[in-house]
Amino acid sequence: MQSRRNVLKGAAAAAAFAAAARGEGQVRRPNIVFILADDLGYADLSCYGQPDFETPAIDSLAADGLKLAQAYANSAVCSATRTALITGRYQYRLPVGLEEPVPENSSPVGLPPGHPTLPSLLRRVGYRTALVGKWHLGAPPHYGPRKSGYDEFFGFYGGATDYFAHRVVGRGAGEEPYDGLYENDRPVSVEGYLTDVLTDRAAAYIARQGKRGPFFLSLHYNAPHWPWEGPADGAVPAQLKSLRDEDGGNLAIYAAMVRSMDAGVGRILAALQAAGIADDTIVVFTSDNGGERFSDTWPFTGMKGELLEGGLRVPALLRWPGRIAAGSRSDQVTVSMDWLPTLTTLAQTAPSTSYPPDGEDLSSIFVEEAAGHGRTLFWRYRANDQAAMRDGDLKYLKLGGREYLFDVAADQRERANLAERLPDRFARMKAAYSAWNATMLPYPAESFSETPKGHVADRY
């Protein structure tokens, strides 16, 4: 399942990590910087095959650490994945996870403040916690980052905001724009391109924390999510009919947006180095779902909003100097909800026993070179009545009113339907999906699911 080399730099590193995981000795808890891109396609980074532009800073995480070749998002849209990421559980266990995605400022649901989260679990063992960037898990006064484990917040509550004016625009006829950026619970006005603004705040947070003790920083970029505004565009809200910018954008603008984020990641890595804590910090980089209309999802078919591989497969990179060897690669199947049990173990703590994770602790695979293993994962998406299950290399898919069985290891494009060739396996997987689905919350009639437009589901 795996192809790894020199995952640990010597037996001493292995022994130190094992002791830390057991809570023995005085091994320092690592800082954690979790960088989440928005709508980044699987092949939008040069280390994943992007041929048209380079992403050297993000690529350096692969060169200096671990590249995951089979990483999945928990959903094909953003806030559902973010629910799974922060809780370590299938998003369908919570009402907020049934909103796909959460409508901006108009939904009565959100992430319950009492639910354990990755930041709250880390905070209990002494971590200082901050979110810089996108939240999208419910609006104040009932919901928000500071109610769910973050000490500090700078960013925006909804799904997107204008990159220059930092205002939400074009939500309805006659509706005035409203403030996009907040510092903790207070709206703020800050000049600059949004990707740069978020990078500035994150780098300043790192410099402020320094060597004071462990911190957990979530840097959730808006890039490369619409609206399609590159750093040189200088757009203003009046030029956008809506944040979706459906008549705007092109490949050149998209490339500029990704390159701007890459430059930001480079500044974050430089800030860790300048603070003298690069070797004491785990850095994760991934995306919340598959790519949008200008992204590259090769070799997969499909995009955001679909349970085809292109809507679910994401890049994922992990760097921890002295623990994970440079240039490592893993074919272990992973999913967004794995990060909570994995990172809590690496931070020498554990998930809540009252809310056991559905994700797996993969720390032994990432750091101790344990053998990889097959996974059984499930997805559903209300729009277009989609369903999917991966069991080993086989994937059951319901899409566009039809059902399929694919070998996604051999047939990455999901073209050779094996349902008739392997009828027993198809029937077992379909039954297993139905049994799993019965354990999740049903979609209430009023829950929101964004209907994809012009997607592969319409013509598959």
Side-chain angles (χ1 to χ4, degrees), residues 127-429:
Y127 277 76
R128 296 179 301 281
T129 60
L131 169 62
V132 175
K134 178 173 173 173
W135 170 243
H136 210 193
L137 292 175
H142 302 296
Y143 309 105
R146 299 182 74 206
K147 296 180 182 295
S148 291
Y150 288 108
D151 298 319
E152 301 180 28
F153 169 60
F154 176 87
F156 53 103
Y157 289 111
T161 189
D162 178 85
Y163 279 82
F164 291 94
H166 314 146
R167 301 269 283 174
V168 178
V169 297
R171 288 179 45 79
E175 184 174 343
E176 291 296 320
Y178 58 86
D179 292 313
L181 291 183
Y182 285 77
E183 185 162 15
N184 295 325
D185 302 318
R186 179 175 57 88
V188 293
S189 178
V190 181
E191 293 186 359
Y193 185 64
L194 181 60
T195 302
D196 296 335
V197 170
L198 298 180
T199 299
D200 290 344
R201 289 299 179 118
Y205 180 85
I206 291 169
R208 180 158 42 94
Q209 301 308 310
K211 297 183 177 181
R212 292 171 51 203
F215 65 84
F216 173 63
L217 169 63
S218 296
L219 173 54
H220 293 183
Y221 281 114
N222 193 50
H225 192 289
W226 42 256
W228 311 113
E229 298 170 332
D233 291 338
V236 295
Q239 293 176 303
L240 295 175
K241 295 178 181 178
S242 74
L243 283 182
R244 288 180 176 275
D245 202 8
E246 291 180 346
D247 60 353
N250 54 48
L251 290 176
I253 292 174
Y254 185 80
M257 295 170 73
V258 176
R259 289 199 305 266
S260 176
M261 179 175 61
D262 180 73
V265 171
R267 290 176 53 203
I268 296 303
L269 299 180
L272 292 171
Q273 192 68 40
I277 56 175
D279 290 347
D280 300 320
T281 303
I282 296 170
V283 179
V284 177
F285 180 91
T286 188
S287 181
D288 61 348
N289 48 249
E292 242 265 28
R293 68 199 80 165
F294 296 113
S295 67
D296 190 344
T297 63
W298 184 263
F300 308 117
T301 301
M303 59 183 288
K304 176 183 177 180
E306 297 172 330
L307 299 186
L308 289 156
E309 296 289 283
L312 294 172
R313 287 283 195 106
V314 292
L317 305 166
L318 175 67
R319 188 188 80 170
W320 191 11
R323 301 293 187 270
I324 296 174
S328 303
R329 180 186 185 276
S330 174
D331 290 316
Q332 173 63 50
V333 173
T334 68
V335 70
S336 308
M337 62 188 177
D338 294 336
W339 289 113
L340 183 145
T342 299
L343 292 175
T344 52
T345 295
L346 297 180
Q348 305 165 51
T349 185
S352 167
T353 56
S354 299
Y355 297 85
D358 296 306
E360 289 191 10
D361 172 10
L362 299 177
S363 59
S364 62
I365 293 174
F366 293 168
V367 183
E368 293 184 46
E369 202 174 6
H373 57 272
R375 298 289 297 278
T376 301
L377 299 173
F378 301 90
W379 297 267
R380 69 185 195 190
Y381 188 56
R382 186 175 187 178
N384 296 331
D385 190 26
Q386 299 181 53
M389 171 190 178
R390 175 161 176 170
D391 184 22
D393 290 337
L394 291 183
K395 178 180 175 183
Y396 162 73
L397 176 68
K398 181 181 179 183
L399 178 68
R402 298 182 61 190
E403 294 178 300
Y404 307 86
L405 183 66
F406 296 117
D407 181 341
V408 292
D411 174 26
Q412 297 95 330
R413 300 286 290 170
E414 295 175 278
R415 295 300 191 188
N417 186 5
L418 304 177
E420 293 185 2
R421 181 180 296 184
L422 302 173
D424 292 343
R425 188 67 183 274
F426 175 73
R428 288 199 302 270
M429 290 183 68

